[in-house]
Amino acid sequence: MRARGGILLWLIAGSVPCAAAQDSTATRPWYETISVNGFVSSSYSYNFNRPLFPVNGYRVFDFDDKSFKIDVAELVLQKPTPRSGDAGFRVDVAAGGSIPRVTAATGLFRDPFGNGQDIDLQQAYVGYLANAGRGLRLDFGKFVTHFGYEVIEGYDGWNDNVTRSFLFGYAIPFTHTGIRAAYPFSDHVSGTVMVVNGWDDATDRNQQKSACAQLSLTPAAAWTVILNGMYGAERPDNSRDARSLLDLVSTWKPEGRVALGLNLDHGRERNGAGPGREARWDGAAAYIRIRLTEKFSLIGRGEQFGDWDGARTGLSQRLSEVTLTPEFRPARGFVVRGDLRLDHSDQAVFDGHGAPKEDQRTAIASVLFSF
């Protein structure tokens, strides 16, 4: 995984000294230490409800119905920090009709009225690996959130499913801007703390910062548990009403053909449902991946998300979905996937060719390439 749930891998790659890396980078010019990577994703979606307006309801990136799309084209420049005392950076520039428009942060490529653009500076931060114990990593700038099981796709990680869960879209943030510090206490325990502007804010819109913390545990070689928490006021011009979020991610990925994942979220916001009314939302998602051959896999996801006061989706409702994803990898870095998905709400919120329905059925095909 990339940044959501991927802090443990990022810590290992960025903070554990490597003698070979020291020898190879000590005499190289600075420009040869910068790596260039890229990612391109394209898709086509079809809604069996045949909505009058070609929009898939409550979808995150695959919101356009019956349309070929360039979801994202991403270019990443970065200088790693393999040794104590090293400084580096990472810059992710993304363009496309889906991901940048949704995840752009307010104050950068999203205006105060909520309008995003088809280009985004998805990440841009400076990093420093301090000579403290096992290596204290400090980052300053804008980075993708570490909350959740699913990720904003890129060259260094993408989701098993093409579509995103309701939890990804409505329970947690996409990005943060601020300061991040991470430290590996041992081979099995690491921690991260952040002080940031808040949820998806490149420029803070109130007078209070938000605090985040993560604890990553690896009880066994194939088992990882990640606990995340966040607290702070998030609404514009409101520094009093705090929002809190608890997030748990657990993965079990043995050497065999089956891998499992679990994501739990619980959020609250003071006066988020109106004066004197606390807003609440929570949900759970389960994942399974079955590798049938070296190149072909089947992936399944099931979830429920409760927006009990309408603070996240605009309507008090319980959403659920089931997704089946066949995946084919014909060449290195090249992936072909397709989602068959059924959405359900306890309210009639989906467009059924002009008539409101409680269910929505879609199919999507996607191709991606990374280098």
Side-chain angles (χ1 to χ4, degrees):
M1 289 178 290
R2 188 179 185 186
R4 294 190 168 186
I7 292 295
L8 189 59
L9 294 177
W10 163 73
L11 277 167
I12 295 173
S15 63
V16 177
C18 175
Q22 293 179 18
D23 295 337
S24 63
T25 60
T27 59
R28 294 169 62 189
W30 66 268
Y31 52 84
E32 291 186 3
T33 65
I34 296 176
S35 62
V36 180
N37 299 97
F39 177 83
V40 179
S41 174
S42 181
S43 65
Y44 178 84
S45 175
Y46 180 80
N47 191 322
F48 292 95
N49 282 15
R50 297 184 298 124
L52 291 180
F53 297 98
V55 174
N56 300 323
Y58 294 99
R59 295 297 180 83
V60 183
F61 297 147
D62 60 314
F63 44 81
D64 288 322
D65 175 41
K66 290 186 288 188
S67 177
F68 290 101
K69 298 184 67 177
I70 301 297
D71 303 312
V72 68
E74 179 187 81
L75 185 66
V76 179
L77 302 177
Q78 59 182 323
K79 180 183 180 298
T81 56
R83 304 173 302 178
S84 296
D86 281 354
F89 70 91
R90 175 165 176 165
V91 176
D92 299 18
V93 179
S98 293
I99 294 177
R101 192 186 307 175
V102 175
T103 63
T106 300
L108 191 59
F109 284 93
R110 180 177 299 279
D111 62 32
F113 303 102
N115 300 311
Q117 302 180 30
D118 290 341
I119 188 170
D120 185 30
L121 192 61
Q122 186 167 285
Q123 294 194 104
Y125 59 83
V126 174
Y128 176 71
L129 185 59
N131 186 14
R134 296 171 63 92
L136 173 64
R137 175 162 182 137
L138 303 172
D139 290 320
F140 308 85
K142 180 175 182 277
F143 25 80
V144 173
T145 189
H146 57 265
F147 283 85
Y149 179 90
E150 300 180 27
V151 301
I152 302 174
E153 292 178 329
Y155 89 94
D156 51 355
W158 51 84
N159 296 298
D160 287 331
N161 304 108
V162 182
T163 62
R164 297 305 193 282
S165 64
F166 295 125
L167 269 64
F168 176 92
Y170 298 101
I172 62 176
F174 295 121
T175 62
H176 308 285
T177 300
I179 302 172
R180 176 172 64 185
Y183 186 81
F185 298 102
S186 71
D187 293 339
H188 302 285
V189 180
S190 63
T192 301
V193 294
M194 300 193 305
V195 178
V196 297
N197 290 337
W199 289 43
D200 310 319
D201 289 335
T203 302
D204 210 344
R205 296 183 292 169
N206 57 41
Q207 300 300 311
Q208 186 183 98
K209 301 302 179 204
S210 295
C212 314
Q214 179 187 81
L215 181 65
S216 297
L217 308 172
T218 309
W223 184 25
T224 301
V225 179
I226 302 175
L227 304 172
N228 298 301
M230 184 171 182
Y231 183 86
E234 301 295 342
R235 299 204 299 275
D237 301 319
N238 185 332
S239 301
R240 302 176 306 278
D241 296 331
R243 181 183 301 174
S244 60
L245 176 64
L246 295 175
D247 172 78
L248 180 144
V249 176
S250 181
T251 61
W252 184 67
K253 297 182 178 181
E255 293 296 329
R257 295 180 177 271
V258 178
L260 302 175
L262 176 68
N263 189 192
L264 304 176
D265 285 306
H266 176 74
R268 292 174 177 266
E269 186 167 24
R270 186 182 305 132
N271 295 321
R277 295 180 55 203
E278 183 180 58
R280 300 176 299 110
W281 62 92
D282 52 49
Y287 304 80
I288 183 170
R289 179 187 180 93
I290 305 174
R291 180 169 55 86
L292 301 177
T293 69
E294 291 301 316
K295 294 186 177 181
F296 184 74
S297 300
L298 283 177
I299 301 101
R301 178 183 65 206
E303 68 164 324
Q304 284 197 347
F305 174 66
D307 186 12
W308 308 117
D309 303 283
R312 305 304 300 162
T313 64
L315 180 69
S316 176
Q317 62 179 315
R318 179 195 291 270
L319 290 162
S320 61
E321 58 93 3
V322 177
T323 302
L324 177 64
T325 304
E327 177 194 87
F328 180 56
R329 301 192 178 202
R332 182 177 180 181
F334 181 46
V335 182
V336 180
R337 300 175 296 172
D339 269 16
L340 296 174
R341 174 165 167 168
L342 172 62
D343 297 327
H344 176 77
S345 172
D346 60 0
Q347 304 291 327
V349 296
F350 300 110
D351 183 358
H353 200 62
K357 299 184 64 175
E358 294 183 353
D359 298 301
Q360 176 178 250
R361 296 169 298 153
T362 62
I364 186 171
S366 169
V367 295
L368 65 85
F369 182 77
S370 69
F371 66 90

